[in-house]
Amino acid sequence: ETVLTQSPGTLSFSPGERATLSCRASQSVSSSSLAWYQQTPGQAPRLLIYGTSRRASGIPGRFSGSGSGTDFTLTISRLEPEDFATYYCQQYSSSSWTFGQGTKVEIK
Amino acid sequence: QLQLQESGPGLVKPSETLSLTCTVSGGSISSSSYYWGWIRLPPGKGLEWIGSIFHTGATYYNSSLTSRVTISVDTAANHFSLRLSSVTAADTAVYYCATGGSWFDPWGPGTLVTVSS
C-alpha cells in the first residue's frame, strides 16, 4: 500500500500570499493517478487537481499542481479568503486508493 | 449531471452493523466505466478510503477494514451500499460516497454516523 505523507499538518498565511503544499509518497506514483482535494468544514471534498497537474472543471487558475515519482506539490499563487481550508492529496494504484492526512491552511 | 446522495441511520450501537446506501441520479451505475466508492472522515482526522465497487460487482477494500466491510451494487435500483460490521466508537465519522476512476468526482454531501449505546 502506498502511504502519502503531507507535512506540515498546518500552514499559516496572510491573504494574497503564495502557498506551497507538499505530498510525499512511500513509493513511486504514476503521474496520472495523483489528485488534490479541498475541504471546508461541513462540506464534501472538492476535486481541485487530477493527473498531478490538470485543473478540474471550474477551478480557478491560481491553483496548480506539479511533481513526479514520490514528490508532488499543490501551489496556490495568491490566497483568497475562500482558500483557507484543508487540502488532501490522493493516489490510486493496484486497485487501492489512499489519501494523505491533510494540510490545513489557516489565516495568519 | 451525476449526483450522489447517502442515506442510512445516523446512530449505530457498538458491535452492530452500520449500513448505508448511496443513490445515484443523472446517470446509470451499470453503464458507467467508473468505480463507486465509500470514503469516511472521522472527527479530527483525515480522509480514509473504505472501499470501491465496479458495476460488474468486483470489489476492492482498504486492507485495514477488509474483514468487516462489504460493498454491493444494485444496478436495477441504481444504488450501491456499504455494510461495516462490529462497529466501535472509532467508526464514528462522516461517510461519503463518490465515483471516479483514479480520483473521486463527484461526491455525495456526506452523512454523519455516530457509534454509541
Side-chain angles (χ1 to χ4, degrees), chain A residues 7-99:
Chain A
S7 61
T10 303
L11 289 169
S12 300
F13 297 98
S14 299
E17 286 192 301
R18 179 186 185 91
T20 302
L21 281 64
S22 169
C23 176
R24 180 160 291 177
S26 61
Q27 56 190 295
S28 186
V29 172
S30 168
S31 294
S32 63
S33 299
L34 194 287
W36 290 91
Y37 302 84
Q38 176 194 66
Q39 188 172 33
T40 54
Q43 300 295 314
R46 173 195 185 195
L47 178 68
L48 294 177
I49 301 287
Y50 64 94
T52 296
S53 60
R54 302 167 74 173
R55 275 190 302 276
S57 176
I59 302 303
R62 62 181 181 273
F63 291 93
S64 63
S66 62
S68 65
T70 60
D71 288 296
F72 297 89
T73 300
L74 174 70
T75 301
I76 311 171
S77 60
R78 286 187 317 277
L79 283 162
E80 298 287 343
E82 62 268 27
D83 299 336
F84 292 92
T86 300
Y87 293 84
Y88 295 93
C89 57
Q90 172 255 310
Q91 70 83 41
Y92 166 81
S93 65
S94 302
S95 302
S96 179
W97 291 256
T98 55
F99 290 89

